[in-house]
Amino acid sequence: MDNLKTYDMKAQEQIRLDVLKRSRLFGGLLPAELKDLIVYSTSVRYDKGASIFKEGDRADFFYAVQEGLVKLYKGTFSGKHFTFTVAGPSDTLNATAVSGDNYFMSAQALNEVVLLRIGRTPYLAFLSKHHTVALELIAMLARRLNRECDRVVGLLGEDVEHRLLISLFTLARKFGTSLSLTREELASCAGTTTETAIRVLSRLKKQGIISGTAERGGIIITDLTKLQKLVAENEGWI
Amino acid sequence: MDNLKTYDMKAQEQIRLDVLKRSRLFGGLLPAELKDLIVYSTSVRYDKGASIFKEGDRADFFYAVQEGLVKLYKGTFSGKHFTFTVAGPSDTLNATAVSGDNYFMSAQALNEVVLLRIGRTPYLAFLSKHHTVALELIAMLARRLNRECDRVVGLLGEDVEHRLLISLFTLARKFGTSLSLTREELASCAGTTTETAIRVLSRLKKQGIISGTAERGGIIITDLTKLQKLVAENEGWI
DNA sequence: CGCCTGATTGATAAGTATCAAGGTCGGTGG
DNA sequence: CCACCGACCTTGATACTTATCAATCAGGCG
């Protein structure tokens, strides 16, 4: 019994180690080095729709996705919200919350989710010990900053239809052509309303780019090449 | 003659040292430490309207503002452009360009400008030598990322009038109530057109928040308190 | 003085949000 | 097993915000 438990622990730790090893932030480290960090990690489960943390909360934990999808978003005053990114396995949720004591976005489980969780203190201690991780963090931050600036320009310069195309293409590249997102969730990725997103999707269906109705709460992209062509049409490249 | 020249050099170096000392990135360092970096610095002058660097250029230099104002912006496909920030004395232009070999925004002199310039190589070498600077850089990046995300939400949730109010208030807090920006430049800070900016300004003039016509290419804020109240009205706080 | 840049105002049109009204599917409980 | 309920999807009509186009004005500078 005791043996079995120990074995389980080992297996769990191995899984979490793999998650970190595959992440961009820690990918450069040796497993041996990561072990120091894994000791402080736990796995936590969230039901579909559950809130993981909210903008403004004290950032007590660092998270990485083990299984499932997590939506990272910010709310607007008018009750709507904009989805900045959908995180999948081995994505970190808040690597950037290092400095700043509070989360600056909210995170919500899109389906049944398992997260790897590490306390703020051991996480920060580990960061300051490993120079290369700090450098990778700078690179990640710079990339994301760059991306958000592009998004600002995109919101001003492109019409809703094109923003939706970009969102679809980005999601497809990351998660494959079979997306389990509701129209509402897709809309919030492109910064528009559910109705407008639906109208655009209807048009795409007529052009044979996305499939019939897919199952409830899903979008299937049937012609990725054509989608890519449409995305590339109006811009240098994102 | 030779003495005078040496003296001049010293004075120039002292000025540049003050610029860096007052910057957020290097503010935590001792003058003695900064001297190692100053050695590699030069002062460069740009005329009003001159382009300092363009998005996509190889990032060969690090810049900080010594005198004058610099617009940091990105262009949209439709030829317009969005101004992310106006940098003043002791602001750094591209601290973030560390990782990534290219500038990801463009910079243009808003008036007669003097910049402190340091080659990429000595700048990077200095960074990797000074741990505290790297940490401050992470903090700066995180702050800016946060701000840009807020901007995304703002662009989606707030109407043009309010965005202009915010831009005005932000500029006033940084540069004082007498702004030398054309209506076009203000518009590009809020992501709108010149005409729309003018219409809003006309309304503000009627409410006594900004002054008569100011001089050509200028805006004078006469009632900062009222402006602040208007800004605070529609939102938690930016 | 005439040109050129920036400011101003008005009319118009386009793009989207908003409101309203079904329609469809799947799951749940009687 | 069936019926209902609720979540999601869909479509249409309308209104509003803001960009666009066009025209004029005002002041500085060569």
Side-chain angles (χ1 to χ4, degrees):
Chain A
M1 184 64 177
D2 213 5
N3 259 340
L4 183 59
K5 209 165 180 178
T6 320
Y7 175 78
D8 261 21
M9 289 283 286
K10 288 271 181 222
Q12 284 299 315
E13 289 197 354
Q14 184 59 45
I15 289 175
R16 294 202 287 269
L17 195 142
D18 283 347
V19 168
L20 289 191
K21 186 68 187 124
R22 268 194 275 271
S23 73
R24 206 185 302 234
L25 186 55
F26 295 108
L29 295 183
L30 300 170
E33 298 173 299
L34 279 176
K35 286 233 166 105
D36 295 345
L37 187 56
I38 287 292
V39 176
Y40 297 100
S41 71
T42 330
S43 292
V44 223
R45 174 177 302 276
Y46 290 86
D47 288 335
K48 173 174 178 172
S51 165
I52 295 161
F53 53 75
K54 287 222 180 273
E55 183 183 351
D57 287 355
R58 261 198 64 82
D60 290 328
F61 296 103
F62 161 83
Y63 294 95
V65 178
Q66 199 170 313
E67 297 168 30
L69 297 179
V70 174
K71 174 172 80 176
L72 287 160
Y73 67 98
K74 262 186 173 237
T76 71
F77 343 88
S78 25
K80 298 177 292 192
H81 49 91
F82 179 79
T83 301
F84 283 88
T85 182
V86 176
S90 282
D91 286 337
T92 54
L93 296 192
N94 60 329
T96 82
V98 208
S99 70
D101 301 324
N102 304 319
Y103 302 116
F104 65 94
M105 296 196 177
S106 308
Q108 187 188 16
L110 279 182
N111 45 32
E112 181 96 2
V113 159
V114 180
L115 300 180
L116 178 164
R117 189 175 85 175
I118 299 176
R120 177 191 179 79
T121 316
Y123 172 71
L124 288 179
F126 188 82
L127 270 196
S128 66
K129 204 180 291 177
H130 292 266
H131 210 244
T132 63
V133 180
L135 289 183
E136 181 56 40
L137 184 59
I138 291 183
M140 279 179 63
L141 278 164
R143 243 190 320 268
R144 283 210 49 194
L145 179 58
N146 194 337
R147 206 188 320 152
E148 295 312 329
C149 291
D150 279 339
R151 205 194 305 261
V152 167
V153 172
L155 283 175
L156 288 168
E158 298 170 88
D159 53 19
V160 171
E161 167 146 359
H162 199 243
R163 294 204 314 260
L164 273 164
L165 288 173
I166 292 176
S167 296
L168 273 176
F169 185 68
T170 307
L171 287 165
R173 200 170 38 178
K174 183 166 183 183
F175 298 112
T177 53
S178 182
L179 303 168
S180 13
L181 293 172
T182 65
R183 320 285 151 146
E184 185 182 0
E185 280 155 357
L186 176 65
S188 95
C189 288
T192 182
T193 60
T194 310
E195 294 95 324
T196 308
I198 286 175
R199 285 182 232 275
V200 173
L201 286 183
S202 302
R203 253 172 278 158
L204 292 184
K205 190 158 50 173
K206 272 180 203 140
Q207 297 176 55
I209 292 174
I210 66 171
S211 104
T213 319
E215 83 284 23
R216 206 141 199 66
I219 301 164
I220 292 176
I221 295 165
T222 50
D223 193 341
L224 191 60
T225 322
K226 207 160 170 183
L227 174 62
Q228 176 165 11
K229 213 185 294 177
L230 282 181
V231 168
E233 215 153 78
N234 279 19
E235 63 183 316
W237 196 240
I238 220 157
Chain B
M1 184 64 177
D2 213 6
N3 260 340
L4 184 59
K5 209 165 182 180
T6 320
Y7 176 78
D8 260 19
M9 288 284 286
K10 289 268 180 222
Q12 283 299 315
E13 289 197 355
Q14 183 59 44
I15 289 175
R16 292 202 287 267
L17 195 142
D18 284 346
V19 168
L20 288 191
K21 185 72 188 118
R22 268 192 276 271
S23 74
R24 206 187 300 235
L25 185 56
F26 295 107
L29 295 181
L30 299 170
E33 298 174 298
L34 279 176
K35 286 231 166 106
D36 295 346
L37 188 56
I38 286 294
V39 176
Y40 297 100
S41 71
T42 331
S43 293
V44 222
R45 172 177 304 276
Y46 290 86
D47 288 335
K48 173 173 177 171
S51 164
I52 296 159
F53 52 77
K54 287 224 180 273
E55 185 183 350
D57 286 356
R58 261 199 64 83
D60 291 327
F61 296 103
F62 160 84
Y63 293 95
V65 178
Q66 199 170 313
E67 297 167 32
L69 297 179
V70 174
K71 175 171 79 174
L72 286 160
Y73 68 97
K74 260 187 176 237
T76 73
F77 342 87
S78 25
K80 297 179 293 192
H81 50 92
F82 179 80
T83 301
F84 283 88
T85 182
V86 176
S90 283
D91 286 335
T92 54
L93 296 192
N94 60 329
T96 84
V98 206
S99 72
D101 302 325
N102 304 320
Y103 302 116
F104 64 95
M105 300 197 171
S106 309
Q108 186 187 17
L110 281 182
N111 43 34
E112 180 95 3
V113 159
V114 180
L115 299 181
L116 178 166
R117 189 174 85 173
I118 299 175
R120 176 191 180 80
T121 315
Y123 172 71
L124 288 180
F126 188 83
L127 269 195
S128 65
K129 204 179 292 178
H130 292 266
H131 210 244
T132 63
V133 180
L135 289 183
E136 180 56 39
L137 184 58
I138 291 182
M140 280 178 63
L141 278 164
R143 243 191 319 269
R144 281 209 52 193
L145 179 58
N146 193 340
R147 205 188 318 153
E148 295 312 329
C149 291
D150 279 340
R151 204 194 305 261
V152 168
V153 172
L155 283 175
L156 288 168
E158 298 170 87
D159 53 18
V160 172
E161 168 145 0
H162 199 242
R163 295 205 312 263
L164 274 164
L165 288 172
I166 291 176
S167 295
L168 273 177
F169 185 67
T170 306
L171 287 165
R173 199 170 39 178
K174 184 165 181 182
F175 298 112
T177 51
S178 183
L179 304 168
S180 12
L181 294 172
T182 66
R183 321 284 152 146
E184 185 182 0
E185 279 155 357
L186 176 65
S188 96
C189 288
T192 184
T193 59
T194 310
E195 295 94 323
T196 310
I198 286 174
R199 286 183 233 274
V200 172
L201 287 182
S202 301
R203 254 172 277 158
L204 292 183
K205 189 158 52 174
K206 273 179 200 138
Q207 296 177 55
I209 292 173
I210 67 171
S211 103
T213 320
E215 83 283 23
R216 204 143 201 64
I219 301 165
I220 292 176
I221 295 164
T222 49
D223 193 340
L224 191 59
T225 323
K226 208 161 172 182
L227 174 61
Q228 176 164 12
K229 213 184 296 178
L230 282 181
V231 168
E233 217 153 79
N234 280 19
E235 64 182 317
W237 195 238
I238 218 154

